[in-house]
Amino acid sequence: MLTLAPHTLRLRWTAFAGGFVALALGVALLTVMGLALASAADAPGRAPERFAAAPVVVRGTDTLRVPTAAGVRTARLDRPRPVPAGTVAALRTLGEVTEDRSFPVRIPGESGALVGHPWSTAAFARYELTAGRAPRAAGEVVVTGGRAAPGDRLRTGHGPVRVVGTVAGRGFERAVFYPDAVAARLAPVSTQLVVAADPAAVRRAVGDRAQVLTGAARHLADPAPDRDRAAVTALNSLFGTAGGVAAFVAVFVVASTSAFTVAQRRREFGLLRTAGATPGQVRRTVYAEALLVGGAAAATGCALGGYAAPHLAARTVAGGLAPAWFTIGDHTWPYHAAFWTGLTVALCGVTAASWRAGRTRPAEALREASAEHGARTRGRLLAGTALLAAAAGTAGWALLTDPADLLHRKTYISRPMLLITAFALLAPALAGPLVRLLTWLPARLPGGLLAVLVRENATAAARRTAAVAAPVLVTVALTGSLLGATATLDAARTAEARTRTTADFVVTADGGLDAATVRRLRAVPGTAAVSATAASSVYVVEEGVALIRSAARAADPAALAATTRLPVTAGRLTDLDDGSIVVNEEWERHTVGRRVPVRLGDGTRRTLRVAAVLAVGTGDNGVYVTPANAPGAPVDRVEVTVAAGAGRAAVAAGLRAAVGGTDGRVYGAAAWLRGTAPRADGTTRLGLLLVLGIALVYAAIALAGTQVMATADRRRELAALRLAGATAPQVLGLVAVEALTAAAVGALLGVLVAALNLLGMTGALTLLSAPAAPVLPWPALGAAAGGCALTAVVFAVLPAGGAFRLQGSRRRPRPGGTGPAGVA
């Protein structure tokens, strides 16, 4: 029996082409993912950039270490602690000490902020003057790159300056160098310094009060030293998500195609059973076919993945989604993992179909009717109902226990797969009612015979309709669920921020606002309340083992209550003082009046009383403390309300005058909300597009294969329509409308799956006190459904037209003959 498998593949290659291509693409993606993960694990050590020529760098402590029952837990502090003054004095006795300072510099017309440094630190990054001289007096600067030349005057957020020199850019920053005294005034706190002394002597002088960095470890003093690790983590998440979706859709497509193929071959299997084949032999034949197709597809996918991985790595580096050093290395285990995973997927995909083939009775070989039977099997209905109940049960349990879990990306990417599988299993049972719904009105209009024929054909061939609808269901459901989830969350966050903000104006500054500027803002005539807040962090140990970091804002409670509308669920915001804290309901200990041991942003240990509790919301309702509990945090936002009867224009002008000569910017509340509205970052957007692209490609493969197989099986039916008087255009029109109807069934089911997923998210948002309406991305849904429908129609009409041409050639008189050859 197993020797029949190669012959079957040769004769029925069109029936296996779709599964082959889908599996090959899935294995290619798994190969790319594995190669990317392996290459990221071999990341080279990062060389120092700003301090490449520095002998020794001393950096304030930037890591919090907290002992717990499960061991020491660590977290990165909100900002490094300054090197103690006594330690700095001891270091000065060893050699020359150069204090490093960094601060943002904003120049109108420049995209993004530049970074300012003292000129004395330029030599440590090997900056060399290419023109002009070093800055000596206030108002003089040296800039990198070709943006300015000596003698040019620039307007910055710190006041006008004159360019007196230029240096060649180093590629890792766009710097502006000030005289050391000016830099010390703009950035009073220095958290790291360079010491020209023996490293061993420096370590003895520093002890455990700061970090001593030498050699390659000096890169820890560079800006964003963890950016490579964060980029690689995001890249791994991107490829992991794409690989998981590819594996799911590949199994889905292979299983759907195999089920339809087995249903078409029931007479063939019945003939084998009549010839004496046992059910086990028939099943083993189906498995052998899957093994041959799967092995060839897996090998092809490995080759494709090995070819595509370097190109994809280059594209991610060019797009800024991966570090410049990221390249695909020479690894072999990803090929083995992808090959055997693809082979397993192929065998798992035909499991149900093989059992169905083995249950074929010998009498099936005697059937003449092509009408389907057994499409709605009891096992299929039970499995679909069980999966539907599981999806509802898990969503309900999450709503009752942890609603925030439904808002996580890994959840709203994986949860639709359960519903998609459930509705795909139930599709044969749902196809008939949906087809009747879609054709109800057209069948009652004048000339509705076509709609009647479509209705009867589609309901009689429920398995064929479900096979066409399944890939459309996957594509539309993933499009609606993924894009709809991000859109719904963004809308909820935007609405939450709009509700929370009651100020009329918002003043922001990248590098913070000094105390004098804040005093001038408070003194502007016509203001009713001015709330100055600073960004900080608070760390707490929960459940005795987990060190949790919470974003915090430091503010005066009275001014905060006058300029914001926070969702307080217990306590009062005005009760906040230097001995208390405002937390949200996500904290383990969130009872008003309870004392909570915490670590502040600089690692200082405090025990604070809970003054008020906020709703969790979308996750942006963080912690609030007073400025005394946010040491070193500069004011970066000032919210202002206008007094009754005061002119908004006059207040705006006064605010702009107050921040004149600084980096501060004044926005109306509406403009500030628009500018800070949540938007998907580049990695998230690329990940969603990659996942949806995979779904769309697989849908096209599955639709093309299914329609080609279905049309080949309908040649007698189409010929009968021609003999009944239908013209070729009429028959092709019927085929096209049938394909369009089946695609519409899949689109409706996909929209239903997306709507159910989004309803779960909106339920979670409501429980978290951030109610929002579900946002279905109708343009994207229309594009996905339209692309699937076009594919279904094209690959239904083209084979049907080819069948007509073949039949026409057979009807032509033979050479020397006198009559038609008959109808095939």
Side-chain angles (χ1 to χ4, degrees):
M1 288 293 295
L2 297 181
T3 58
L4 293 176
H7 299 287
T8 303
L9 294 179
R10 180 173 58 84
L11 295 174
R12 285 183 169 270
W13 65 270
T14 56
F16 299 95
F20 175 89
V21 176
L23 198 57
L25 287 178
V27 172
L29 280 171
L30 292 177
T31 304
V32 170
M33 181 193 71
L35 289 171
L37 292 174
S39 301
D42 292 342
R46 220 181 113 191
E49 295 172 331
R50 279 204 62 223
F51 298 97
V56 182
V57 179
V58 178
R59 179 176 171 83
T61 302
D62 63 351
T63 302
L64 175 65
R65 291 177 172 83
V66 179
T68 69
V72 177
R73 294 289 183 261
T74 62
R76 182 61 58 90
L77 286 173
D78 187 50
R79 52 181 50 82
R81 300 172 184 170
V83 181
T87 302
V88 175
L91 291 173
R92 293 190 187 278
T93 64
L94 301 177
E96 183 182 359
V97 173
T98 305
E99 292 184 300
D100 177 54
R101 307 171 193 274
S102 298
F103 47 92
V105 178
R106 187 172 59 87
I107 297 178
E110 290 277 356
S111 59
L114 286 69
V115 59
H117 298 301
W119 172 248
S120 60
T121 64
F124 301 132
R126 297 193 176 96
Y127 282 113
E128 296 181 357
L129 285 168
T130 56
R133 59 173 177 81
R136 302 191 189 100
E140 296 181 348
V141 295
V142 170
V143 300
T144 58
R147 67 177 55 88
D152 291 349
R153 295 188 177 274
L154 303 175
R155 291 174 51 245
T156 74
H158 304 294
V161 294
R162 183 169 63 90
V163 177
V164 296
T166 60
V167 293
R170 304 294 296 170
F172 58 86
E173 67 177 355
R174 299 188 304 161
V176 180
F177 292 97
Y178 287 77
D180 286 24
V182 177
R185 177 175 57 82
L186 297 176
V189 178
S190 172
T191 59
Q192 57 193 24
L193 44 89
V194 177
V195 184
D198 178 64
V202 172
R203 287 192 175 90
R204 287 193 298 269
V206 170
D208 60 355
R209 295 180 294 276
Q211 304 174 79
V212 178
L213 308 177
T214 60
R218 291 171 298 175
H219 88 274
L220 296 174
D222 288 335
D226 294 331
R227 67 176 183 267
D228 285 3
R229 184 185 308 170
V232 170
T233 301
L235 197 64
N236 291 342
S237 175
L238 165 66
F239 283 109
T241 301
V245 172
F248 166 76
V249 182
V251 171
F252 189 92
V253 169
V254 171
S256 176
T257 305
S258 300
F260 186 62
T261 303
V262 167
Q264 282 193 309
R265 297 169 62 189
R266 66 182 186 276
R267 294 180 65 187
E268 175 186 331
F269 293 133
L271 184 61
L272 291 175
R273 295 282 283 116
T274 302
T278 65
Q281 287 176 319
V282 173
R283 284 195 294 270
R284 286 192 292 273
T285 300
V286 175
Y287 270 117
E289 294 168 357
L291 188 64
L292 292 174
V293 173
T300 303
C302 287
L304 287 175
Y307 172 78
H311 296 282
L312 189 58
R315 291 294 299 272
T316 56
V317 171
L321 301 177
W325 52 260
F326 182 72
T327 56
I328 299 299
D330 185 14
H331 304 277
T332 57
W333 71 259
Y335 293 99
H336 291 284
F339 180 86
W340 294 112
T341 300
L343 202 57
T344 304
V345 166
L347 295 178
C348 291
V350 301
T351 298
S354 68
W355 282 97
R356 180 176 178 82
R359 290 196 302 269
T360 305
R361 297 185 299 274
E364 295 288 338
L366 304 177
R367 290 185 181 271
E368 289 294 335
S370 60
E372 291 181 354
H373 64 94
R376 306 172 185 86
T377 61
R378 181 179 301 176
R380 184 167 186 147
L381 293 175
L382 288 176
T385 304
L387 287 177
L388 198 59
T394 53
W397 180 253
L399 289 173
L400 291 175
T401 58
D402 186 13
D405 182 63
L406 294 177
L407 308 182
H408 297 160
R409 185 172 66 174
K410 64 179 181 180
T411 302
Y412 66 70
I413 286 179
S414 60
R415 184 168 291 277
M417 298 179 186
L418 194 61
L419 279 174
I420 289 171
T421 307
F423 276 96
L425 289 172
L426 297 173
L430 298 174
L434 288 175
V435 168
R436 285 191 287 272
L437 175 65
L438 291 170
T439 58
W440 179 82
L441 181 59
R444 281 158 176 76
L445 296 175
L449 178 60
L450 178 62
V452 173
L453 288 175
V454 168
R455 181 188 65 200
E456 298 305 319
N457 282 343
T459 53
R463 187 179 297 278
R464 183 179 71 216
T465 304
V468 175
V472 185
L473 161 64
V474 174
T475 305
V476 174
L478 287 178
T479 300
S481 297
L482 301 188
L483 298 183
T486 56
T488 300
L489 284 175
D490 289 347
R493 292 190 179 107
T494 301
E496 191 177 48
R498 189 180 299 113
T499 302
R500 192 168 52 228
T501 302
T502 60
D504 297 298
F505 295 99
V506 179
V507 182
T508 64
D510 296 329
L513 299 167
D514 57 25
T517 303
V518 174
R519 286 194 296 270
R520 291 197 299 269
L521 290 170
R522 288 196 171 107
V524 172
T527 58
V530 177
S531 173
T533 64
S536 186
S537 298
V538 171
Y539 305 85
V540 63
V541 176
E542 294 194 350
E543 299 178 354
V545 295
L547 180 61
I548 307 297
R549 175 189 178 275
S550 297
R553 293 205 72 83
D556 175 77
L560 181 67
T563 56
T564 60
R565 189 186 296 113
L566 296 177
V568 178
T569 60
R572 293 185 302 178
L573 191 61
T574 53
D575 289 344
L576 177 65
D577 56 27
D578 292 346
S580 62
I581 186 173
V582 175
V583 301
N584 59 48
E585 292 176 332
E586 202 170 21
W587 277 46
E588 180 187 12
R589 286 162 284 191
H590 59 268
T591 304
V592 173
R594 185 171 182 177
R595 303 189 69 80
V596 181
V598 300
R599 301 293 184 106
L600 302 181
D602 65 347
T604 303
R605 181 182 300 179
R606 292 291 306 274
T607 298
L608 301 176
R609 173 181 51 83
V610 176
V613 181
L614 306 179
V616 176
T618 60
D620 291 337
N621 295 326
V623 173
Y624 287 86
V625 294
T626 59
N629 290 320
V635 172
D636 61 354
R637 191 168 79 209
V638 177
E639 299 180 45
V640 180
T641 57
V642 178
R648 288 177 58 91
V651 172
L655 295 175
R656 293 189 183 94
V659 299
T662 71
D663 197 32
R665 298 179 295 281
V666 180
Y667 299 97
W672 180 74
L673 287 170
R674 286 194 301 271
T676 57
R679 297 178 180 86
D681 58 22
T683 304
T684 301
R685 190 181 307 110
L686 178 61
L688 293 179
L689 291 177
L690 183 59
V691 168
L692 296 179
I694 292 169
L696 189 58
V697 169
Y698 277 145
I701 294 169
L703 285 170
T706 301
Q707 293 289 37
V708 169
M709 288 187 292
T711 304
D713 202 43
R714 298 179 65 189
R715 287 180 178 176
R716 288 192 175 187
E717 175 190 341
L718 300 179
L721 288 174
R722 291 295 309 278
L723 291 174
T727 64
Q730 288 175 325
V731 177
L732 292 179
L734 174 65
V735 172
V737 175
E738 282 184 21
L740 194 61
T741 304
V745 169
L748 287 176
L749 292 176
V751 171
L752 179 59
V753 169
L756 290 175
N757 277 292
L758 295 183
L759 284 175
M761 291 188 66
T762 54
L765 289 169
T766 301
L767 292 175
L768 295 172
S769 302
V775 180
L776 280 169
W778 291 113
L781 286 173
C788 291
L790 180 62
T791 304
V793 170
V794 168
F795 284 95
V797 171
L798 289 180
F804 288 156
R805 288 192 295 272
L806 179 61
Q807 291 167 4
S809 66
R810 289 179 179 177
R811 289 193 186 97
R812 296 190 188 102
R814 296 187 180 95
T818 58
V823 178

